[in-house]
Amino acid sequence: MKKCLIILLLLLPSIFFAQETEVKDLKIGLVLSGGGAKGLAHIGALKVIEEAGIRVDYIGGTSMGAIIGGLYASGYKATQLDSIFRTLDFDQIIQDDVPRGAKTFYEKDDAEKYALTLPFDDFRPAFPTGISKGQNVYNLLSRLMIHVKDVEDFNELPIPFFCVATNVETGEEVILDKGYLPRAVSASGALPSLFSPVTIGSTIYVDGGVVNNYPVDEVRAMGADVVIGVDVQDDLRDRDELRSAIEVMVQINNYRTIREMKKKSDQTNVYIKPEIDDFTVVSFAEGKQIVSAGETAAKRMQNELKELANQQKPTPRKKVEFNNQETLYIKDVVIQGNKNYTDAYVLGKLKLRTPAEISYKEFNEGVNNLSATGNYAGIDYKFVEDEDNSEEYSLQFQVNESKSNTLLRLGVHYDDLYRTAALVNVTRKRLFTNNDVASLDLVVGDNLRYNLNYYIDKGFYWSVGLSSSFNSFNKDVAVDFFIPDMVLGDDLQLNELNLKYDDLTNRIFAQTVFRRSFLLRLGVEHKWLHLLSETIGIDENNLPRTVFEDTNYFSSYGVLKYDTFDNKFFPNKGVYFEGDFHWYLLANGRNDSFDPFSIAQARVAYAISPTSRFSIVLSTEGGFKWGDRSTTSLDFFVGGYGFRALNNIIPLYGYEAISLRGDTYLKSELVLDYEIFKRNHINISANIANVGDQLFERGEWIDGIDYQGYALGYGLDTFLGPIELKYSFSPERGGDEWFVNVGFRF
């Protein structure tokens, strides 16, 4: 008994000492504020927090803090996030830029005609709710968070997480801690004026920074003993620093949050404030420096961080299995929420036929193409693993159709053929039935023109439509251009006459798309051609003019097109092919000697880029007529540059527009283009051609090169379209031409 008492007395000090030195397992919460591009500093701070040995137990974030925090909570490490964000093209992500090759042919035509598009419901122009719909952001987050796609309670993520959003209708703060993580994070980051609001269920959300940009109380309420906060908010700026609408909006949003930060910073145990005043909410191009600023600020708190880490029990971070597949096998698609647009329409815009294996890149491009139609206020989707095969997915789409169905679209243009032109377009969707579009272009300027289109877009299935267009221009041409044997009086010395060219074309057509990039169109066409000159002659009404053509032509036609160019005007890669066949069957009017004839025409072009800035485009094309030789008004008229394609008017460097004529032509062209800096191009071009009558029959298409032209040009790729200046020279003419082209061609 005595021995036991002695042993107990000896052990008591060591027992008390062990209890005193036992590590308390601190629960640490992390608060990440909003700040747009400044939020990239969170990545740098997270690097230092990890290096200090901190185990983050809870995360709450707003806006960019929600994006970085959500990714970190889903299992990514700071170094992984740094690598991911260094490779992103933020301009493309923010602008919802859809690669041209991913667009359908309708969307390509619209994107390359109109400079500005505005809602026009009730014939009242309005402005979009945001510069970007944020679709690229959502696509990116869906890809990066696919490994936690089945987690609906954010407390079950590797690190419990929530984000803050604002209810647009009530202005109330909403804590998003359940649902689909990519959508919740997108809602929290929907910065007003930059991104459109995000709809989840029946509620519309914008950036949580409007009401709570630093949710420190909410993180502590999760159970955190200690809170580490990274604050990347703007301080109030003076008038000299407010240089854009976005900066003014951010300043307004910051009034309340900046006033609250004094109190909130005092509630933060370790407060990290990076020095990033020189950056703005859109300074994504300076991402590397912003991340570095976050590291620097966190290192100043390194001792405090290590002290906190020593008060936590060493716990290995949960191992996360990321999905690194580059492709998806989609076995079926379920679409919900579509009322006015059919499943076939949606799948056609996605360019998706199931079952199919598709890359993430192709899928994202399809989603963006669907979004770019303007028919949807929101597009949600989720991948659901097949129960029997984890590598196969069902795709669940939830679309929120836009209530707006009328658009006002504007454009401007100048070239040497049509001269100045301003375009006003009104487009009405769902005019008579689902999936239909009615569009009227009215062009005013030196020449009055119009273009009316109506079509029912059925995606992969056969679409039907009709169109009517009128085009007109005046051009000086050689006296013998239309009537080679015209005889002038001895007292009339005339080399050129002014030609007035009018074309009215009406079409009914059906078309389909196959293999994602091929378009086949079949139709019937009525064309009225009216060509006259007031320079010479007197007509039957005793008016000073000579009428060369006043005839209605009726034909059937077919078009096959393949187009993967990444840019129509300055392509770096891709293939382009277009074949056109017209069979003219009937005529009524001045051409009373008409016999049926056919015209076939084709062009193929290939673009490659040996370097990121240097591209080569090689093209060849040709056309010929067989049948009636007496009708010359639909021959190939060759020369000029920069105008919209019409009938068989073909561009050629070194020659004025409509200076060469023939029922057969062959042409090849080489363009060397160098992008000296972003969107600014210097190019050298060379083309050769043979133009004449019956070149194939006479064997004259290979007897030599009749026409050559070379050009040196500068081009600027703008939202109005290309702005180009070209100097061209023809050695056989011994003369030169300047070509000016401004804006999209219409």
Side-chain angles (χ1 to χ4, degrees), residues 231-250:
D231 180 11
V232 296
Q233 299 175 83
D234 273 317
D235 292 324
L236 292 179
R237 295 169 176 257
D238 60 32
R239 69 182 69 181
D240 295 330
E241 296 176 304
L242 298 173
R243 297 182 295 268
S244 70
I246 292 176
E247 289 174 343
V248 172
M249 284 295 298
V250 171

Side-chain angles (χ1 to χ4, degrees), residues 109-350:
D109 290 343
D110 285 351
E112 292 156 1
K113 184 189 293 186
Y114 308 113
L116 178 65
T117 298
L118 300 172
F120 197 52
D121 296 292
D122 299 323
F123 298 98
R124 296 178 181 176
F127 288 95
T129 54
I131 296 173
S132 167
K133 290 184 179 180
Q135 192 63 53
N136 267 331
V137 174
Y138 182 64
N139 293 345
L140 174 66
L141 294 172
S142 295
R143 170 70 181 97
L144 294 175
M145 296 175 173
I146 193 170
H147 60 288
V148 291
K149 64 186 183 307
D150 298 324
V151 177
E152 296 188 357
D153 184 343
F154 301 165
N155 286 318
E156 296 176 4
L157 291 168
I159 302 175
F161 169 78
F162 74 86
C163 58
V164 181
T166 304
N167 184 321
V168 173
E169 296 175 295
T170 66
E172 295 177 346
E173 172 186 344
V174 180
I175 301 297
L176 300 177
D177 57 4
K178 291 181 175 61
Y180 187 51
L181 184 59
R183 203 60 183 166
V185 169
S186 297
S188 179
L191 183 66
S193 75
L194 182 59
F195 293 113
S196 296
V198 173
T199 301
I200 301 178
S202 59
T203 307
I204 304 174
Y205 297 100
V206 292
D207 195 305
V210 175
V211 290
N212 187 353
N213 205 32
Y214 189 86
V216 61
D217 292 333
E218 291 77 7
V219 168
R220 198 173 289 279
M222 294 177 80
D225 301 311
V226 170
V227 174
I228 300 171
V230 185
D231 180 11
V232 296
Q233 299 175 83
D234 273 317
D235 292 324
L236 292 179
R237 295 169 176 257
D238 60 32
R239 69 182 69 181
D240 295 330
E241 296 176 304
L242 298 173
R243 297 182 295 268
S244 70
I246 292 176
E247 289 174 343
V248 172
M249 284 295 298
V250 171
Q251 178 97 324
I252 294 171
N253 290 337
N254 282 346
Y255 291 151
R256 175 180 172 183
T257 57
I258 289 174
R259 284 196 300 267
E260 292 177 348
M261 272 312 300
K262 178 65 175 71
K263 174 182 153 184
K264 290 189 174 185
S265 61
D266 291 341
Q267 295 173 342
T268 307
N269 300 89
V270 179
Y271 181 67
I272 300 172
K273 178 71 172 173
E275 296 179 1
I276 46 179
D277 290 339
D278 293 336
F279 305 101
T280 71
V281 294
V282 291
S283 296
F284 291 101
E286 288 78 41
K288 185 177 180 180
Q289 298 94 303
I290 296 173
V291 171
S292 179
E295 283 190 74
T296 301
K299 283 179 179 178
R300 289 196 292 266
M301 311 299 292
Q302 207 162 31
N303 292 335
E304 290 88 340
L305 293 172
K306 287 182 177 180
E307 184 178 339
L308 290 176
N310 290 333
Q311 298 179 58
Q312 289 185 300
K313 291 181 179 178
T315 305
R317 190 169 179 177
K318 293 180 182 178
K319 188 176 181 181
V320 177
E321 295 291 336
F322 294 102
N323 186 326
N324 296 316
Q325 293 175 277
E326 294 299 323
T327 61
L328 292 163
Y329 186 86
I330 299 175
K331 66 173 189 175
D332 57 53
V333 180
V334 178
I335 303 171
Q336 297 178 328
N338 53 326
K339 298 177 182 177
N340 298 306
Y341 297 95
T342 62
D343 288 3
Y345 175 86
V346 174
L347 294 173
K349 297 302 179 186
L350 292 171

Side-chain angles (χ1 to χ4, degrees), residues 391-629:
E391 295 183 358
E392 295 184 0
Y393 295 91
S394 289
L395 180 59
Q396 295 181 353
F397 258 93
Q398 179 69 44
V399 295
N400 178 19
E401 293 180 348
S402 173
K403 295 179 181 178
S404 176
N405 62 0
T406 307
L407 300 173
L408 174 66
R409 304 197 274 199
L410 307 172
V412 294
H413 181 76
Y414 174 84
D415 65 58
D416 297 317
L417 184 60
Y418 291 104
R419 304 295 178 177
T420 59
L423 169 64
V424 178
N425 167 274
V426 176
T427 297
R428 176 64 185 268
K429 302 177 182 181
R430 307 190 299 275
L431 181 61
F432 299 117
T433 184
N434 290 345
N435 300 5
D436 75 347
V437 177
S439 174
L440 174 63
D441 292 336
L442 181 63
V443 182
V444 295
D446 287 320
N447 298 282
L448 182 65
R449 295 179 281 149
Y450 81 82
N451 186 29
L452 174 65
N453 282 282
Y454 175 81
Y455 61 89
I456 301 173
D457 188 354
K458 294 187 176 181
F460 281 118
Y461 300 101
W462 281 93
S463 301
V464 294
L466 57 87
S467 66
S468 177
S469 64
F470 175 76
N471 289 279
S472 178
F473 60 81
N474 290 273
K475 184 74 179 70
D476 291 338
V477 299
V479 171
D480 61 352
F481 196 77
F482 288 103
I483 306 178
D485 57 352
M486 176 178 281
V487 178
L488 302 175
D490 294 336
D491 59 341
L492 183 59
Q493 300 296 320
L494 188 64
N495 294 322
E496 290 185 331
L497 54 83
N498 182 265
L499 174 70
K500 188 175 189 308
Y501 187 110
D502 294 331
D503 172 278
L504 173 65
T505 301
N506 302 301
R507 291 175 173 173
I508 299 174
F509 62 87
Q511 75 177 39
T512 187
V513 177
F514 56 97
R515 292 186 179 272
R516 296 179 64 86
S517 297
F518 280 96
L519 176 144
L520 175 63
R521 175 180 289 184
L522 302 173
V524 293
E525 176 184 276
H526 158 254
K527 182 179 292 292
W528 173 67
L529 280 178
H530 189 240
L531 283 65
L532 65 84
S533 174
E534 297 179 348
T535 308
I536 58 172
I538 303 294
D539 70 2
E540 61 273 14
N541 297 317
N542 205 33
L543 295 174
R545 64 180 57 184
T546 297
V547 178
F548 300 115
E549 177 68 286
D550 185 7
T551 305
N552 293 281
Y553 294 96
F554 300 89
S555 67
S556 61
Y557 74 97
V559 176
L560 178 64
K561 185 183 289 189
Y562 176 81
D563 184 1
T564 60
F565 271 2
D566 61 341
N567 186 300
K568 181 177 181 178
F569 305 103
F570 305 102
N572 292 305
K573 60 182 179 180
V575 176
Y576 180 91
F577 170 82
E578 182 172 5
D580 183 290
F581 178 81
H582 272 71
W583 185 15
Y584 292 90
L585 299 167
L586 299 169
N588 175 260
R590 187 178 185 85
N591 188 358
D592 52 12
S593 61
F594 171 86
D595 285 323
F597 64 91
S598 300
I599 294 179
Q601 185 178 357
R603 177 176 185 261
V604 62
Y606 177 62
I608 57 172
S609 293
T611 69
S612 61
R613 291 184 175 272
F614 177 61
S615 61
I616 302 171
V617 183
L618 179 63
S619 65
T620 187
E621 60 186 286
F624 62 94
K625 177 173 74 173
W626 74 88
D628 177 26
R629 299 288 180 185

